[in-house]
Amino acid sequence: MRRKGMFRKVTSAFAALAFSAAVFAGPAFAADDPIVIKFSHVVAENTPKGQMANKFKDMIKERLDGKVKVEVFPNSQLFGDNKVLEAMLLGDVQLAAPSLSKFERYTKSLQIYDLPFLFKDMAAVERFQQSADGQKLLHATSDRGLIGLGYLHNGLKQLSASEPLRVPQDAAGKKFRIMSSDVLAAQFQAVDAVPLKKPFSEVFTLLQTKAIDGQENTWSNIYSKKFFEVQPYITESNHGVLDYMVVTSKEFWLGLPVDIRNEVKATLDEAIKFGNDVADQKAKADRQRIIDSGRSEVIELTDAERSQWVEVMKPVWKEFEEDIGPDLIDAAYNSNM
Ligand code: LMR
């Protein structure tokens, strides 16, 4: 009797799940219409993320034409990164790849990626992301309805400014745009600068009108959004990483027919590999393009200068250690070896 009761409970739970999936699926899953995947992002098309998104769209067309259709919306056309995750939970967009700094409202664990000077290069970032700890972090937002499908690289961040920044004191009192991350706020406060959380779409105008003095970003973002045209100095600090979590809503993902879901995931994995190669090339090529433009001076730090930045910024790790977990920080740090 008891077993029967349990069985009933389980079957009704499945029925409820199936019902909610069916309700959620709505017209997008109707037999003859293709399933539409709207992929919204904030960067230009000639960036690692922009190219990965377009590649994904093309590959899905080749492999699942008529069944799945990908629509890509670059340059914050559809949603800015500060809105896209809410929109995803409402079913208005199905795929995005916000930077890891933009998940703070959903999980504290991903803050690890914002700790300054944690990774010495992108190879260390890759090692950590592919480790068991790194892969586990892709599930950090699952209980909030968002599933991480993979990491995508952009690269290491540089500091751009209206005046040369060689040592931490040079940044004191200056206003820097940051992504919406408390770790990044603490990183700039550590050098007595003033951090301002602003959407990516506003950065160029803020710099051009001198409402802010500087910002931190990767070579491909500084190049593709023309920040170098309005920032005469870029310090090659490599002080942090700007990578992405490719994310979808749990409801959408689990509502997909299994065969389609598997094919979409395999295609996405390939598109991510392609995007990572683009990231690697662009980190070098866009840096060189900026130098060649003559619009911005690239400042290379001496070892002694760099150590000063490390010394002032590294105490930020302690501040966030409890939220992130000391073991996880150790694991990430050890990926440098
Ligand atoms: C930023 O806001 O600076 C970046 O997250 C933009 C991006 O998506 O690369």
Side-chain angles (χ1 to χ4, degrees):
M1 284 307 281
R2 231 181 124 230
R3 292 189 98 187
K4 215 169 171 186
M6 261 174 69
F7 177 72
R8 241 184 244 130
K9 244 191 221 160
V10 173
T11 42
S12 60
F14 273 122
L17 201 70
F19 176 72
S20 67
V23 166
F24 173 78
F29 289 69
D32 298 332
D33 293 340
I35 296 167
V36 176
I37 300 181
K38 290 188 184 167
F39 188 160
S40 168
H41 68 82
V42 298
V43 291
E45 287 184 283
N46 62 341
T47 55
K49 183 160 55 182
Q51 296 210 19
M52 172 270 184
N54 292 347
K55 182 81 174 173
F56 174 64
K57 176 187 159 158
D58 293 347
M59 286 197 296
I60 287 288
K61 186 158 170 50
E62 273 166 31
R63 296 172 188 186
L64 289 167
D65 199 19
K67 292 188 187 154
V68 179
K69 183 166 185 253
V70 176
E71 295 172 358
V72 180
F73 299 88
N75 293 310
S76 311
Q77 267 166 23
L78 195 57
F79 296 107
D81 266 344
N82 300 332
K83 287 272 177 297
V84 75
L85 297 176
E86 285 166 40
M88 187 169 275
L89 290 170
L90 293 171
D92 292 336
V93 58
Q94 288 69 40
L95 211 57
S99 86
L100 293 158
S101 316
K102 293 179 180 169
F103 287 89
E104 204 169 72
R105 284 176 52 202
Y106 299 88
T107 175
K108 297 277 182 223
S109 323
L110 291 174
Q111 287 182 323
I112 189 163
Y113 289 105
D114 282 341
L115 296 178
F117 297 105
L118 178 60
F119 299 105
K120 72 167 191 224
D121 52 26
M122 289 308 288
V125 174
E126 171 72 11
R127 276 194 292 275
F128 177 65
Q129 289 177 349
Q130 296 313 322
S131 72
D133 286 316
Q135 290 295 303
K136 211 165 128 198
L137 284 174
L138 292 174
H139 304 289
T141 54
S142 292
D143 59 349
R144 303 290 305 273
L146 297 169
I147 302 183
L149 297 174
Y151 291 105
L152 171 69
H153 294 318
N154 187 330
L156 297 178
K157 289 180 292 185
Q158 321 302 336
L159 288 168
S160 77
S162 48
E163 285 173 47
L165 305 177
R166 288 203 170 81
V167 290
Q169 292 90 304
D170 295 335
K174 294 201 165 54
K175 293 190 196 122
F176 287 87
R177 176 270 172 172
I178 55 164
M179 296 180 274
S180 50
S181 152
D182 287 345
V183 179
L184 299 179
Q187 169 196 278
F188 280 101
Q189 279 154 356
V191 296
D192 294 326
V194 184
L196 297 164
K197 291 180 183 173
K198 295 284 178 190
F200 187 59
S201 55
E202 291 177 23
V203 182
F204 180 84
T205 307
L206 289 167
L207 294 170
Q208 191 186 35
T209 57
K210 303 206 178 342
I212 55 173
D213 303 292
Q215 61 89 45
E216 53 164 20
N217 232 305
T218 58
W219 290 114
S220 68
N221 281 346
I222 295 173
Y223 179 71
S224 60
K225 286 293 177 191
K226 300 189 176 5
F227 299 162
F228 71 101
E229 293 186 0
V230 287
Q231 291 274 267
Y233 301 98
I234 304 173
T235 300
E236 188 164 32
S237 51
N238 290 323
H239 63 280
V241 61
L242 196 165
D243 267 12
Y244 307 111
M245 184 160 93
V246 182
V247 67
T248 188
S249 95
K250 202 170 175 174
E251 212 171 350
F252 170 75
W253 193 243
L254 298 182
L256 286 175
V258 176
D259 56 335
I260 298 263
R261 193 196 307 152
N262 290 343
E263 186 67 31
V264 170
K265 177 68 168 70
T267 307
L268 191 63
D269 289 345
E270 276 183 53
I272 286 176
K273 277 207 186 85
F274 171 81
N276 286 345
D277 287 344
V278 175
D280 193 38
Q281 292 155 19
K282 286 217 153 267
K284 296 173 200 111
D286 288 348
R287 174 186 181 277
Q288 195 54 46
R289 286 186 181 109
I290 290 170
I291 293 172
D292 293 347
S293 77
R295 300 288 292 263
S296 191
E297 182 187 332
V298 173
I299 299 171
E300 289 177 34
L301 299 175
T302 63
D303 287 349
E305 286 166 344
R306 196 162 192 278
S307 318
Q308 288 191 44
W309 291 93
V310 177
E311 197 182 316
V312 210
M313 285 183 166
K314 218 172 143 182
V316 169
W317 297 17
K318 259 268 142 323
E319 224 179 291
F320 292 88
E321 189 182 78
E322 210 181 299
D323 280 342
I324 299 170
D327 293 346
L328 195 61
I329 298 178
D330 282 349
Y333 184 70
N334 288 335
S335 66
N336 289 308
M337 322 300 175

